[in-house]
Coordinates of all heavy atoms in Angstrom, one line a residue:
M7 N 0.8 -1.2 0.0 CA 0.0 0.0 0.0 C 0.9 1.3 0.0 O 0.6 2.2 -0.7 CB -0.9 0.0 1.2 CG -1.7 1.2 1.4 SD -3.4 1.0 1.0 CE -4.0 2.5 1.5
T8 N 1.9 1.3 0.8 CA 2.8 2.5 0.9 C 3.5 2.6 -0.5 O 3.8 3.8 -0.9 CB 3.8 2.3 2.0 OG1 3.8 1.0 2.6 CG2 3.6 3.4 3.0
E9 N 3.9 1.6 -1.1 CA 4.6 1.7 -2.4 C 3.7 2.4 -3.4 O 4.2 3.2 -4.2 CB 5.0 0.3 -2.9 CG 6.1 -0.3 -2.1 CD 6.5 -1.7 -2.6 OE1 6.2 -2.0 -3.8 OE2 7.1 -2.5 -1.9
A10 N 2.4 2.0 -3.4 CA 1.5 2.6 -4.3 C 1.3 4.1 -4.1 O 1.3 5.0 -5.0 CB 0.1 2.0 -4.3
I11 N 1.3 4.5 -2.8 CA 1.2 5.9 -2.4 C 2.4 6.7 -2.8 O 2.4 7.8 -3.4 CB 0.9 6.1 -0.9 CG1 -0.4 5.5 -0.6 CG2 1.0 7.5 -0.5 CD1 -0.7 5.4 0.9
V12 N 3.6 6.1 -2.6 CA 4.9 6.7 -3.0 C 5.0 6.9 -4.5 O 5.3 7.9 -5.0 CB 6.1 6.0 -2.4 CG1 7.4 6.4 -3.0 CG2 6.1 6.0 -0.9
H13 N 4.6 5.8 -5.2 CA 4.6 5.9 -6.7 C 3.6 6.9 -7.2 O 4.0 7.7 -8.1 CB 4.2 4.5 -7.2 CG 4.2 4.5 -8.7 ND1 5.3 4.6 -9.5 CD2 3.1 4.4 -9.6 CE1 4.9 4.6 -10.8 NE2 3.6 4.4 -10.9
N14 N 2.4 7.0 -6.6 CA 1.5 8.0 -7.0 C 1.9 9.4 -6.7 O 1.8 10.3 -7.5 CB 0.1 7.7 -6.3 CG -1.0 8.4 -7.0 OD1 -0.9 8.9 -8.1 ND2 -2.1 8.5 -6.2
T15 N 2.6 9.6 -5.6 CA 3.1 10.9 -5.2 C 4.2 11.3 -6.1 O 4.2 12.5 -6.6 CB 3.6 10.9 -3.7 OG1 2.6 10.4 -2.9 CG2 4.1 12.2 -3.3
R16 N 5.1 10.4 -6.5 CA 6.2 10.7 -7.4 C 5.6 11.1 -8.8 O 6.1 12.0 -9.4 CB 7.1 9.6 -7.5 CG 8.0 9.4 -6.3 CD 9.0 8.3 -6.6 NE 9.8 8.0 -5.4 CZ 10.6 7.0 -5.2 NH1 10.7 6.1 -6.1 NH2 11.3 6.9 -4.1
H17 N 4.6 10.4 -9.2 CA 4.0 10.6 -10.5 C 3.4 12.0 -10.5 O 3.6 12.8 -11.5 CB 2.9 9.6 -10.7 CG 2.1 9.8 -12.0 ND1 2.6 9.5 -13.2 CD2 0.9 10.3 -12.2 CE1 1.8 9.8 -14.1 NE2 0.7 10.3 -13.5
W18 N 2.7 12.4 -9.4 CA 2.1 13.8 -9.4 C 3.2 14.8 -9.3 O 3.0 15.9 -9.9 CB 1.1 13.9 -8.2 CG -0.2 13.3 -8.5 CD1 -0.7 12.1 -8.0 CD2 -1.2 13.8 -9.4 NE1 -1.9 11.8 -8.6 CE2 -2.2 12.8 -9.5 CE3 -1.3 14.9 -10.2 CZ2 -3.4 13.0 -10.3 CZ3 -2.4 15.1 -11.0 CH2 -3.4 14.2 -11.0
L19 N 4.2 14.6 -8.5 CA 5.3 15.6 -8.4 C 6.0 15.8 -9.8 O 6.3 16.9 -10.2 CB 6.3 15.2 -7.4 CG 5.9 15.3 -5.9 CD1 7.0 14.7 -5.0 CD2 5.7 16.8 -5.6
L20 N 6.2 14.7 -10.5 CA 6.8 14.8 -11.8 C 5.9 15.5 -12.8 O 6.3 16.4 -13.5 CB 7.2 13.4 -12.4 CG 7.8 13.4 -13.8 CD1 9.1 14.1 -13.8 CD2 7.9 11.9 -14.2
S21 N 4.6 15.2 -12.7 CA 3.7 15.9 -13.6 C 3.6 17.4 -13.3 O 3.5 18.2 -14.2 CB 2.3 15.2 -13.4 OG 2.3 13.9 -13.8
A22 N 3.6 17.7 -12.0 CA 3.6 19.1 -11.6 C 4.8 19.9 -12.1 O 4.7 21.0 -12.6 CB 3.4 19.2 -10.1
A23 N 6.0 19.2 -12.0 CA 7.2 19.9 -12.4 C 7.2 20.1 -13.9 O 7.6 21.1 -14.4 CB 8.4 19.0 -12.0
L24 N 6.8 19.1 -14.6 CA 6.7 19.2 -16.1 C 5.7 20.3 -16.5 O 5.9 21.0 -17.5 CB 6.4 17.9 -16.7 CG 7.5 16.8 -16.7 CD1 7.1 15.5 -17.2 CD2 8.8 17.3 -17.4
A25 N 4.6 20.3 -15.8 CA 3.6 21.4 -16.1 C 4.1 22.8 -15.9 O 3.9 23.7 -16.6 CB 2.3 21.1 -15.4
A26 N 4.9 22.9 -14.8 CA 5.5 24.2 -14.4 C 6.5 24.6 -15.5 O 6.5 25.8 -15.9 CB 6.1 24.1 -13.0
L27 N 7.3 23.7 -16.0 CA 8.2 24.0 -17.0 C 7.5 24.4 -18.3 O 8.0 25.3 -19.0 CB 9.1 22.8 -17.3 CG 10.2 22.5 -16.3 CD1 11.0 21.2 -16.6 CD2 11.2 23.7 -16.3
L28 N 6.4 23.7 -18.6 CA 5.6 24.0 -19.8 C 5.1 25.5 -19.7 O 5.2 26.2 -20.7 CB 4.5 23.0 -20.0 CG 3.6 23.3 -21.2 CD1 4.4 23.2 -22.5 CD2 2.5 22.3 -21.2
V29 N 4.5 25.8 -18.5 CA 4.0 27.1 -18.3 C 5.1 28.2 -18.4 O 4.9 29.2 -19.1 CB 3.2 27.2 -17.0 CG1 2.9 28.6 -16.6 CG2 2.0 26.4 -17.0
L30 N 6.2 27.9 -17.9 CA 7.3 28.8 -17.9 C 7.8 29.0 -19.4 O 8.1 30.1 -19.8 CB 8.5 28.3 -17.0 CG 9.7 29.2 -16.9 CD1 9.3 30.5 -16.2 CD2 10.8 28.5 -16.2
A31 N 7.9 28.0 -20.1 CA 8.4 28.0 -21.5 C 7.4 28.8 -22.4 O 7.7 29.7 -23.2 CB 8.6 26.6 -22.1
V32 N 6.1 28.6 -22.2 CA 5.0 29.3 -22.9 C 5.1 30.8 -22.5 O 5.0 31.7 -23.4 CB 3.6 28.7 -22.7 CG1 2.5 29.6 -23.2 CG2 3.6 27.3 -23.3
W33 N 5.2 31.1 -21.3 CA 5.3 32.5 -20.8 C 6.5 33.2 -21.5 O 6.4 34.3 -22.0 CB 5.4 32.6 -19.3 CG 5.6 34.0 -18.8 CD1 4.7 35.0 -18.7 CD2 6.9 34.5 -18.5 NE1 5.4 36.1 -18.3 CE2 6.7 35.9 -18.1 CE3 8.2 34.0 -18.4 CZ2 7.7 36.7 -17.7 CZ3 9.2 34.8 -18.1 CH2 9.0 36.1 -17.7
Y34 N 7.6 32.5 -21.5 CA 8.9 33.1 -22.0 C 8.7 33.4 -23.5 O 9.0 34.4 -24.1 CB 10.1 32.2 -21.7 CG 11.3 32.8 -22.4 CD1 12.0 33.8 -21.8 CD2 11.9 32.2 -23.5 CE1 13.1 34.4 -22.3 CE2 13.1 32.7 -24.1 CZ 13.7 33.8 -23.5 OH 14.8 34.3 -24.0
C35 N 8.2 32.4 -24.3 CA 8.0 32.5 -25.7 C 7.0 33.6 -26.0 O 7.2 34.4 -26.9 CB 7.5 31.2 -26.3 SG 8.7 29.9 -26.3
A36 N 5.9 33.7 -25.2 CA 5.0 34.8 -25.5 C 5.6 36.2 -25.2 O 5.3 37.1 -25.9 CB 3.7 34.6 -24.6
S37 N 6.4 36.3 -24.1 CA 7.0 37.6 -23.8 C 8.0 38.0 -24.9 O 8.1 39.2 -25.3 CB 7.6 37.6 -22.4 OG 8.7 36.7 -22.4
V38 N 8.8 37.1 -25.4 CA 9.7 37.4 -26.4 C 9.0 37.7 -27.7 O 9.4 38.7 -28.5 CB 10.7 36.2 -26.7 CG1 11.5 36.4 -27.9 CG2 11.6 36.1 -25.5
W39 N 7.9 37.0 -28.0 CA 7.2 37.3 -29.2 C 6.6 38.7 -29.2 O 6.5 39.4 -30.2 CB 6.1 36.2 -29.3 CG 5.3 36.3 -30.6 CD1 5.6 36.9 -31.8 CD2 4.0 35.7 -30.8 NE1 4.6 36.7 -32.7 CE2 3.6 36.0 -32.1 CE3 3.1 34.9 -30.0 CZ2 2.4 35.5 -32.7 CZ3 1.9 34.5 -30.6 CH2 1.6 34.8 -31.9
Q40 N 6.1 39.1 -28.0 CA 5.5 40.4 -27.9 C 6.5 41.5 -28.0 O 6.2 42.6 -28.4 CB 4.7 40.5 -26.6 CG 3.5 39.6 -26.5 CD 2.4 40.0 -27.6 OE1 2.2 41.1 -27.9 NE2 1.8 39.0 -28.1
A41 N 7.7 41.2 -27.6 CA 8.8 42.2 -27.5 C 9.4 42.5 -28.9 O 10.0 43.5 -29.1 CB 9.9 41.8 -26.5
T42 N 9.3 41.6 -29.8 CA 9.9 41.7 -31.1 C 9.0 42.4 -32.1 O 7.8 42.3 -32.0 CB 10.4 40.4 -31.7 OG1 9.3 39.5 -31.8 CG2 11.4 39.7 -30.8
S43 N 9.6 43.0 -33.1 CA 8.7 43.6 -34.2 C 8.2 42.5 -35.1 O 8.8 41.5 -35.3 CB 9.5 44.6 -35.0 OG 10.6 43.9 -35.6
P44 N 7.0 42.8 -35.7 CA 6.4 41.8 -36.6 C 7.3 41.6 -37.9 O 7.9 42.5 -38.4 CB 5.1 42.3 -36.9 CG 5.1 43.8 -36.6 CD 6.2 44.0 -35.6
M45 N 7.2 40.3 -38.4 CA 7.9 40.0 -39.6 C 7.1 40.4 -40.8 O 5.9 40.5 -40.8 CB 8.2 38.5 -39.7 CG 9.2 37.9 -38.7 SD 9.7 36.3 -39.1 CE 8.3 35.4 -39.4
P46 N 7.8 40.7 -41.9 CA 7.1 41.0 -43.2 C 6.4 39.8 -43.7 O 6.7 38.7 -43.3 CB 8.2 41.4 -44.1 CG 9.5 41.7 -43.3 CD 9.3 40.9 -42.0
L47 N 5.5 40.0 -44.6 CA 4.6 38.9 -45.1 C 5.5 37.8 -45.8 O 5.2 36.7 -45.6 CB 3.6 39.5 -46.0 CG 2.6 38.4 -46.6 CD1 1.9 37.7 -45.5 CD2 1.7 39.0 -47.6
Y48 N 6.5 38.2 -46.6 CA 7.2 37.3 -47.3 C 8.0 36.3 -46.4 O 8.2 35.1 -46.7 CB 8.2 37.9 -48.3 CG 9.4 38.6 -47.7 CD1 10.6 37.9 -47.6 CD2 9.3 39.9 -47.3 CE1 11.7 38.5 -47.0 CE2 10.5 40.5 -46.8 CZ 11.6 39.8 -46.7 OH 12.7 40.4 -46.1
R49 N 8.4 36.8 -45.2 CA 9.1 35.9 -44.3 C 8.1 34.9 -43.7 O 8.5 33.8 -43.4 CB 9.8 36.7 -43.2 CG 11.0 37.4 -43.7 CD 11.7 38.1 -42.6 NE 12.9 38.8 -43.1 CZ 13.7 39.5 -42.3 NH1 13.4 39.6 -41.0 NH2 14.7 40.2 -42.8
N50 N 6.9 35.3 -43.4 CA 5.9 34.4 -42.9 C 5.6 33.4 -43.9 O 5.4 32.2 -43.6 CB 4.6 35.2 -42.5 CG 4.8 35.9 -41.2 OD1 5.5 35.6 -40.3 ND2 4.1 37.1 -41.1
V51 N 5.5 33.7 -45.2 CA 5.2 32.8 -46.2 C 6.4 31.8 -46.3 O 6.1 30.5 -46.4 CB 5.0 33.5 -47.6 CG1 5.0 32.5 -48.7 CG2 3.7 34.3 -47.5
I52 N 7.6 32.2 -46.3 CA 8.8 31.3 -46.4 C 8.8 30.4 -45.2 O 9.0 29.2 -45.3 CB 10.1 32.2 -46.4 CG1 10.2 32.9 -47.7 CG2 11.3 31.3 -46.2 CD1 11.3 33.8 -47.8
L53 N 8.5 30.9 -44.0 CA 8.4 30.1 -42.8 C 7.3 29.0 -42.9 O 7.5 27.9 -42.6 CB 8.2 31.0 -41.6 CG 8.1 30.3 -40.2 CD1 9.5 29.6 -39.9 CD2 7.8 31.2 -39.1
G54 N 6.1 29.4 -43.4 CA 5.0 28.4 -43.6 C 5.4 27.4 -44.6 O 5.1 26.2 -44.4
V55 N 6.1 27.7 -45.7 CA 6.5 26.7 -46.7 C 7.5 25.8 -46.1 O 7.5 24.6 -46.3 CB 7.0 27.4 -48.0 CG1 7.7 26.5 -48.9 CG2 5.9 28.2 -48.7
A56 N 8.4 26.3 -45.3 CA 9.4 25.5 -44.7 C 8.8 24.5 -43.7 O 9.2 23.3 -43.7 CB 10.5 26.3 -44.0
V57 N 7.8 24.9 -43.0 CA 7.1 24.0 -42.0 C 6.4 22.9 -42.8 O 6.5 21.7 -42.4 CB 6.1 24.8 -41.2 CG1 5.2 23.9 -40.4 CG2 6.9 25.7 -40.2
V58 N 5.7 23.3 -43.9 CA 5.0 22.3 -44.7 C 6.0 21.3 -45.3 O 5.8 20.1 -45.3 CB 4.1 22.9 -45.8 CG1 3.6 21.9 -46.8 CG2 3.0 23.7 -45.1
L59 N 7.1 21.8 -45.8 CA 8.1 20.9 -46.4 C 8.7 19.9 -45.4 O 8.9 18.7 -45.6 CB 9.2 21.7 -47.1 CG 8.9 22.3 -48.4 CD1 10.1 23.1 -48.9 CD2 8.6 21.2 -49.4
M60 N 9.0 20.4 -44.2 CA 9.5 19.6 -43.1 C 8.5 18.5 -42.7 O 8.9 17.4 -42.4 CB 10.0 20.4 -41.9 CG 11.2 21.3 -42.2 SD 12.4 20.3 -43.0 CE 13.8 20.7 -42.0
F61 N 7.3 18.9 -42.7 CA 6.2 17.9 -42.3 C 6.1 16.8 -43.4 O 6.0 15.7 -43.1 CB 4.9 18.6 -42.2 CG 3.8 17.7 -41.8 CD1 3.7 17.2 -40.5 CD2 2.8 17.4 -42.7 CE1 2.6 16.3 -40.2 CE2 1.8 16.5 -42.4 CZ 1.7 16.0 -41.2
V62 N 6.2 17.2 -44.7 CA 6.1 16.3 -45.8 C 7.3 15.4 -45.8 O 7.2 14.1 -45.9 CB 5.9 17.0 -47.1 CG1 6.2 16.1 -48.3 CG2 4.6 17.7 -47.2
I63 N 8.5 15.9 -45.6 CA 9.7 15.1 -45.6 C 9.7 14.1 -44.4 O 10.0 13.0 -44.5 CB 11.0 16.0 -45.6 CG1 11.1 16.7 -46.9 CG2 12.2 15.2 -45.2 CD1 12.2 17.8 -46.9
G64 N 9.3 14.6 -43.2 CA 9.3 13.8 -42.0 C 8.2 12.7 -42.2 O 8.5 11.5 -41.8
S65 N 7.1 13.0 -42.7 CA 6.1 12.0 -43.0 C 6.5 11.0 -44.0 O 6.3 9.7 -43.9 CB 4.8 12.6 -43.5 OG 4.3 13.5 -42.5
G66 N 7.2 11.4 -45.1 CA 7.7 10.5 -46.1 C 8.7 9.6 -45.5 O 8.7 8.4 -45.8
L67 N 9.6 10.1 -44.7 CA 10.7 9.2 -44.2 C 10.1 8.2 -43.2 O 10.5 7.0 -43.1 CB 11.7 10.0 -43.5 CG 12.6 10.8 -44.4 CD1 13.5 11.8 -43.6 CD2 13.5 9.9 -45.2
T68 N 9.1 8.6 -42.4 CA 8.4 7.7 -41.5 C 7.7 6.6 -42.3 O 7.7 5.4 -41.9 CB 7.4 8.4 -40.6 OG1 8.2 9.5 -39.9 CG2 6.8 7.5 -39.6
A69 N 7.0 7.0 -43.4 CA 6.3 6.0 -44.2 C 7.3 5.0 -44.9 O 7.0 3.8 -44.9 CB 5.5 6.8 -45.3
L70 N 8.5 5.5 -45.3 CA 9.5 4.6 -45.8 C 10.0 3.6 -44.8 O 10.2 2.5 -45.1 CB 10.6 5.4 -46.4 CG 10.4 6.1 -47.8 CD1 11.6 6.9 -48.1 CD2 10.2 5.0 -48.8
M71 N 10.1 4.1 -43.6 CA 10.5 3.3 -42.5 C 9.5 2.1 -42.2 O 9.9 1.0 -42.1 CB 10.7 4.1 -41.2 CG 11.3 3.3 -40.0 SD 11.4 4.2 -38.5 CE 9.7 4.6 -38.2
F72 N 8.2 2.5 -42.2 CA 7.2 1.4 -42.0 C 7.1 0.5 -43.2 O 7.0 -0.7 -43.0 CB 5.9 2.1 -41.7 CG 5.7 2.6 -40.3 CD1 5.7 3.9 -40.0 CD2 5.6 1.7 -39.3 CE1 5.5 4.4 -38.7 CE2 5.5 2.1 -37.9 CZ 5.4 3.4 -37.7
Y73 N 7.3 1.0 -44.4 CA 7.2 0.2 -45.6 C 8.4 -0.8 -45.6 O 8.2 -2.0 -45.9 CB 7.3 1.1 -46.8 CG 7.4 0.3 -48.1 CD1 6.2 -0.2 -48.7 CD2 8.6 0.2 -48.8 CE1 6.3 -0.9 -49.9 CE2 8.6 -0.5 -50.0 CZ 7.5 -1.1 -50.5 OH 7.5 -1.8 -51.7
S74 N 9.6 -0.3 -45.3 CA 10.8 -1.1 -45.2 C 10.6 -2.2 -44.2 O 11.0 -3.4 -44.5 CB 12.0 -0.3 -44.9 OG 13.1 -1.1 -44.7
R75 N 10.1 -1.9 -43.1 CA 9.9 -2.9 -42.0 C 8.9 -4.0 -42.4 O 9.1 -5.2 -42.2 CB 9.4 -2.2 -40.7 CG 9.2 -3.1 -39.6 CD 10.5 -3.7 -39.0 NE 10.2 -4.5 -37.9 CZ 10.8 -5.6 -37.6 NH1 11.7 -6.0 -38.4 NH2 10.4 -6.3 -36.6
R76 N 7.8 -3.6 -43.0 CA 6.8 -4.5 -43.4 C 7.2 -5.4 -44.6 O 6.7 -6.6 -44.7 CB 5.5 -3.8 -43.8 CG 4.8 -3.2 -42.5 CD 3.4 -2.9 -42.8 NE 2.9 -2.4 -41.5 CZ 1.7 -2.7 -41.1 NH1 0.9 -3.4 -41.9 NH2 1.2 -2.2 -40.0
K77 N 8.0 -4.9 -45.4 CA 8.5 -5.7 -46.6 C 9.7 -6.6 -46.2 O 10.1 -7.4 -47.0 CB 8.9 -4.8 -47.7 CG 7.8 -4.1 -48.4 CD 6.8 -5.1 -49.0 CE 5.7 -4.4 -49.7 NZ 4.8 -5.3 -50.4
G78 N 10.2 -6.5 -45.0 CA 11.3 -7.4 -44.5 C 12.7 -6.9 -44.9 O 13.6 -7.7 -44.8
Y79 N 12.8 -5.7 -45.3 CA 14.1 -5.2 -45.7 C 15.0 -5.0 -44.5 O 16.2 -4.8 -44.6 CB 14.0 -3.9 -46.5 CG 13.4 -4.1 -47.9 CD1 12.3 -3.3 -48.2 CD2 13.8 -5.1 -48.7 CE1 11.7 -3.4 -49.4 CE2 13.1 -5.2 -50.0 CZ 12.1 -4.4 -50.3 OH 11.5 -4.6 -51.5
D80 N 14.5 -4.9 -43.3 CA 15.2 -4.7 -42.1 C 15.7 -6.0 -41.4 O 16.4 -5.9 -40.4 CB 14.4 -3.9 -41.1 CG 14.1 -2.5 -41.6 OD1 14.8 -2.0 -42.5 OD2 13.1 -1.9 -41.1
E81 N 15.4 -7.1 -42.0 CA 15.8 -8.4 -41.4 C 17.3 -8.6 -41.7 O 17.9 -8.1 -42.6 CB 15.0 -9.5 -42.1 CG 13.5 -9.5 -41.9 CD 13.2 -9.5 -40.4 OE1 13.8 -10.3 -39.6 OE2 12.2 -8.8 -40.0
P82 N 18.0 -9.3 -40.8 CA 19.4 -9.5 -40.9 C 19.6 -10.4 -42.2 O 18.8 -11.3 -42.5 CB 19.8 -10.2 -39.7 CG 18.6 -10.6 -39.0 CD 17.5 -9.8 -39.5
A83 N 20.8 -10.2 -42.8 CA 21.1 -11.0 -44.0 C 21.4 -12.4 -43.6 O 22.0 -12.7 -42.5 CB 22.3 -10.4 -44.7
R84 N 21.0 -13.4 -44.4 CA 21.2 -14.8 -44.1 C 21.4 -15.5 -45.4 O 20.9 -15.1 -46.4 CB 20.1 -15.4 -43.3 CG 18.8 -15.3 -43.8 CD 17.7 -15.8 -42.9 NE 16.5 -15.4 -43.6 CZ 15.3 -15.2 -42.9 NH1 15.3 -15.4 -41.7 NH2 14.3 -14.8 -43.6
S85 N 22.1 -16.6 -45.4 CA 22.3 -17.3 -46.6 C 22.1 -18.8 -46.3 O 22.3 -19.3 -45.2 CB 23.8 -17.2 -47.0 OG 24.1 -18.0 -48.1
D86 N 21.6 -19.5 -47.3 CA 21.3 -20.9 -47.2 C 22.5 -21.7 -47.7 O 22.5 -23.0 -47.7 CB 20.1 -21.3 -48.0 CG 18.8 -20.7 -47.4 OD1 18.8 -20.4 -46.2 OD2 17.9 -20.4 -48.2
R87 N 23.5 -21.1 -48.2 CA 24.7 -21.8 -48.7 C 25.5 -22.4 -47.6 O 25.6 -21.8 -46.5 CB 25.6 -20.9 -49.5 CG 24.9 -20.4 -50.8 CD 25.8 -19.6 -51.7 NE 26.7 -18.8 -51.0 CZ 27.6 -18.0 -51.6 NH1 27.6 -18.0 -52.9 NH2 28.5 -17.3 -51.0
R88 N 26.1 -23.5 -47.9 CA 27.0 -24.2 -46.9 C 28.4 -23.6 -47.0 O 28.8 -23.4 -48.1 CB 27.0 -25.7 -47.1 CG 25.6 -26.3 -46.8 CD 25.7 -27.8 -46.9 NE 24.3 -28.3 -46.8 CZ 23.9 -29.4 -47.4 NH1 24.7 -30.1 -48.2 NH2 22.7 -29.8 -47.3
P89 N 29.1 -23.6 -45.9 CA 30.6 -23.1 -46.1 C 31.4 -24.1 -46.8 O 31.1 -25.3 -46.8 CB 31.0 -22.9 -44.6 CG 30.0 -23.6 -43.8 CD 28.8 -23.8 -44.6
R90 N 32.4 -23.7 -47.5 CA 33.3 -24.6 -48.2 C 34.1 -25.4 -47.3 O 34.4 -25.0 -46.2 CB 34.3 -23.8 -49.1 CG 33.6 -23.1 -50.2 CD 34.7 -22.4 -51.0 NE 34.1 -21.8 -52.2 CZ 34.7 -21.1 -53.1 NH1 36.0 -21.0 -53.0 NH2 34.1 -20.5 -54.1
E91 N 34.4 -26.6 -47.7 CA 35.2 -27.5 -46.9 C 36.6 -27.6 -47.3 O 37.1 -27.3 -48.3 CB 34.6 -28.9 -47.0 CG 33.2 -29.0 -46.5 CD 32.6 -30.4 -46.6 OE1 33.3 -31.3 -47.2 OE2 31.5 -30.6 -46.2

């Protein structure tokens, strides 16, 4: 019973610490964002295109990884030949 309580307490403490770090990071990003001047439209377009390209490339590489795994290309090489005597 005490092990479950300690485990539960550790879980909540870790969750609280991670939530506090998330809140701190969001606050810092928002304050820096408000302090800087706005970007011109062409930079926003370039940034958006870069985000879309990175998403497409990442998705494509992940799809290739799953395809390779399902087709058996990731299996170790093996041979049915007998060694020479």
Side-chain angles (χ1 to χ4, degrees):
M7 171 107 175
T8 10
E9 291 179 20
I11 294 173
V12 169
H13 178 70
N14 197 17
T15 304
R16 286 182 183 171
H17 178 74
W18 281 107
L19 286 175
L20 179 63
S21 298
L24 289 175
L27 284 175
L28 178 64
V29 167
L30 183 67
V32 168
W33 172 80
Y34 178 75
C35 289
S37 65
V38 169
W39 185 19
Q40 295 296 324
T42 58
S43 60
M45 287 195 310
L47 179 63
Y48 74 91
R49 288 188 182 175
N50 285 331
V51 171
I52 291 172
L53 183 62
V55 169
V57 166
V58 168
L59 282 176
M60 291 310 229
F61 180 73
V62 168
I63 290 171
S65 298
L67 289 174
T68 303
L70 283 174
M71 182 183 67
F72 281 111
Y73 176 78
S74 171
R75 178 73 177 140
R76 290 199 178 216
K77 292 294 181 179
Y79 295 129
D80 294 339
E81 298 298 322
R84 55 185 170 205
S85 174
D86 294 332
R87 296 188 322 180
R88 295 184 186 147
R90 291 186 178 178
E91 294 178 1

